[in-house]
Amino acid sequence: MNILVINCGSSSLKFQLINAQSEELIAKGLCERIGIEGSQMTYTPTGKDKIQVTKPMPDHTAAVKLVLDALTNKDTGVVESLDEIGAVGHRIVHGGENFARSTLITDEVIRAIEACNDLAPLHNPANLIGINSCRELMPHTPMVAVFDTAFHQTMPEEAYLYGIPYHYYADYKVRRYGFHGTSHSYVSHQAAQMLGRNYEELKMIICHLGNGASVSAIKNGKCVDTSMGLTPLEGLIMGTRSGDMDPAIVEFLCNKEGKSVHDILNVLNKESGVLGLSEGYSSDFRDLEKGYHAGEEPSIRAMKSFAYRVVKYIGAYAAAMNGVDVICFTAGIGENNPFIRKMICSYLGYLGISMNEEENAKRGEEAVISNPESAVKVFVIPTNEELAIARETLELVK
Ligand code: ADP
């Protein structure tokens, strides 16, 4: 069965068509600037050249139409007709406490996703628009919602509650939810396979280090803690997000700069992290690494702070699980940046970790980067959120 995986943002739509049995990627692409002048789609059928289509996409339905046309038309198509798309898997950012697993989309499910909109006001409405556009154009095709938050719903109360009056949780569901769940789940399952051990018997720490970054602790087959919170702003220092900080800083900066809470949160989401620490130099670790080796203080400061925060989370989660068997690096930085991996692992001697420099030089592929005698295994595992969504979708529609 071919499964179309859709990841809809407020002005973008990423898609992949995957053969769910063979797990082959058939085609992929991206629509950008939806609803904005200059909309364009890039589309790549596997094994063929990338195609760019510049065409107005006034809304997401127009974008989905363009995608379906590219997949089925005579010249660029990869399937004869829409009948060859057996199901659609939608990535949904926030499922709140309503969804601890993926689910077939019904009107009731759509209402329950809508009920989570105020927890992710930028993402969930866009995800819902993607669902509605697909339902309009493919009314008989089953659709599945796969949530970024679902994997983390197994966290115990002591991990997900904040130290604030309990009624804020009871009344408004203010708690830690965590994100990147599809990636943490996919990578941890791969790690168990690489180890040849039972998923349910392992203690794992997964470091998803991309532009958005989070760490999770998985014990006996369940996520027991994760670094992102009510929103993706908490936890690690990220590309442009601050991660953990004293909440009193918000009021302090509002007073100093004469700005609103909204303005400061914008700074914390978009102008902070390694971008902010490097004085606006870059949020991209390729640039920062160049700066670091050239001895530039802003890049050195940003990279050291980033690595240090990851190290603190690894320590916290090793303590929370009373040990750790395997630590995995994934996502853009985790998969492709040996220098950051080395910086992080250089702190972890206390866990009995020793790193294999030669293996650590690998980029973008599965690798065991710890030495055989290392007490804790360290893996690099490329994440594949789209494949994970296709697998979940197949499971529910087959
Ligand atoms: P997002 O959270 O936007 O999905 P990514 O997982 O793509 O982010 O991570 C982006 C980061 O990964 C950037 O800092 C970039 O430096 C790094 N990165 C991505 N691909 C590569 C690569 N091929 N080589 C080196 N670094 C890379």
Side-chain angles (χ1 to χ4, degrees):
M1 180 192 292
N2 296 328
I3 291 178
L4 180 61
V5 175
I6 298 273
N7 182 354
C8 217
S10 55
S11 67
S12 71
L13 185 156
K14 279 193 241 167
F15 64 96
Q16 287 195 3
L17 187 67
I18 296 172
N19 179 320
Q21 275 88 16
S22 67
E23 302 203 333
E24 265 171 300
L25 175 67
I26 302 168
K28 66 173 182 179
L30 167 68
C31 301
E32 288 171 290
R33 301 180 63 83
I34 299 169
I36 309 171
E37 206 168 316
S39 329
Q40 71 166 26
M41 175 176 74
T42 43
Y43 166 71
T44 317
T46 301
K48 299 204 177 130
D49 290 339
K50 188 187 277 186
I51 298 161
Q52 290 232 357
V53 182
T54 306
K55 210 171 177 182
M57 291 177 236
D59 54 31
H60 287 75
T61 307
V64 175
K65 255 191 199 136
L66 212 58
V67 170
L68 297 179
D69 178 60
L71 292 170
T72 52
N73 82 29
K74 275 204 310 291
D75 305 324
T76 63
V78 286
V79 290
E80 295 276 320
S81 76
L82 290 183
D83 296 340
E84 289 179 39
I85 299 175
V88 182
H90 291 270
R91 178 202 179 201
I92 309 296
V93 167
H94 220 307
E97 287 187 333
N98 295 341
F99 298 102
R101 53 188 58 84
S102 304
T103 181
L104 266 174
I105 296 174
T106 60
D107 292 341
E108 194 189 343
V109 165
I110 289 180
R111 280 193 293 275
I113 297 172
E114 273 166 1
C116 303
N117 276 1
D118 64 348
L119 292 170
L122 295 179
H123 294 95
N124 269 30
N127 300 156
L128 282 162
I129 290 172
I131 293 178
N132 290 328
S133 300
C134 287
R135 285 181 116 204
E136 192 181 323
L137 298 167
M138 309 166 84
H140 305 297
T141 310
M143 311 217 175
V144 168
V146 180
F147 300 90
D148 269 23
T149 47
F151 180 65
H152 305 299
Q153 278 294 304
T154 50
M155 281 186 287
E157 193 178 58
E158 61 270 27
Y160 72 68
L161 284 181
Y162 291 113
I164 56 178
Y166 185 77
H167 65 84
Y168 292 138
Y169 168 65
D171 294 344
Y172 310 125
K173 297 290 173 212
V174 173
R175 52 160 284 177
R176 174 183 312 286
Y177 290 97
F179 298 86
H180 296 137
T182 323
S183 176
H184 287 286
S185 167
Y186 175 86
V187 170
S188 55
H189 281 92
Q190 287 291 112
Q193 243 179 29
M194 278 170 76
L195 278 168
R197 287 180 61 187
N198 200 336
Y199 189 67
E200 277 75 32
E201 70 183 25
L202 289 165
K203 294 173 182 174
M204 302 189 252
I205 296 177
I206 312 297
C207 306
H208 176 111
L209 310 180
N211 196 29
S214 65
V215 188
S216 69
I218 297 154
K219 185 180 181 184
N220 302 134
K222 289 196 173 112
C223 175
V224 292
D225 208 345
T226 192
S227 58
M228 282 178 168
L230 175 79
T231 77
L233 187 55
E234 193 181 351
L236 299 179
I237 291 173
M238 309 183 207
T240 63
R241 295 189 192 118
S242 63
D244 299 336
M245 53 171 231
D246 181 343
I249 292 170
V250 174
E251 188 189 29
F252 184 88
L253 289 179
C254 285
N255 292 341
K256 286 280 179 203
E257 300 254 309
K259 286 184 171 158
S260 67
V261 169
H262 180 81
D263 293 338
I264 295 299
L265 276 175
N266 213 30
V267 171
L268 298 180
N269 270 303
K270 299 194 177 141
E271 297 169 26
S272 299
V274 289
L275 176 69
L277 282 169
S278 68
E279 297 168 69
Y281 171 59
S282 182
S283 63
D284 191 302
F285 274 71
R286 284 166 283 207
D287 301 329
L288 294 169
E289 199 181 335
K290 275 189 210 134
Y292 188 104
H293 294 307
E296 287 160 14
E297 194 47 46
S299 297
I300 295 171
R301 165 201 314 142
M303 286 185 78
K304 278 186 164 174
S305 309
F306 175 88
Y308 182 71
R309 183 72 58 87
V310 177
V311 165
K312 287 216 295 191
Y313 269 97
I314 290 174
Y317 290 167
M321 294 192 290
N322 188 23
V324 52
D325 300 305
V326 54
I327 296 174
C328 302
F329 290 103
T330 192
I333 300 158
E335 292 165 27
N336 296 297
N337 198 314
F339 188 68
I340 273 285
R341 294 195 298 246
K342 189 175 170 184
M343 266 172 112
I344 293 166
C345 288
S346 70
Y347 282 90
L348 304 179
Y350 74 97
L351 286 173
I353 287 179
S354 77
M355 175 177 258
N356 183 318
E357 298 265 347
E358 208 171 295
E359 287 300 306
N360 186 46
K362 290 183 175 167
R363 290 167 190 266
E365 59 178 303
E366 242 170 47
V368 181
I369 62 170
S370 49
N371 283 314
E373 69 274 15
S374 180
V376 176
K377 301 270 175 257
V378 186
F379 293 166
V380 174
I381 300 180
T383 192
N384 191 339
E385 287 166 281
E386 289 78 11
L387 178 58
I389 292 173
R391 283 180 183 167
E392 298 262 323
T393 303
L394 179 68
E395 214 35 55
L396 284 163
V397 301
K398 76 181 177 193

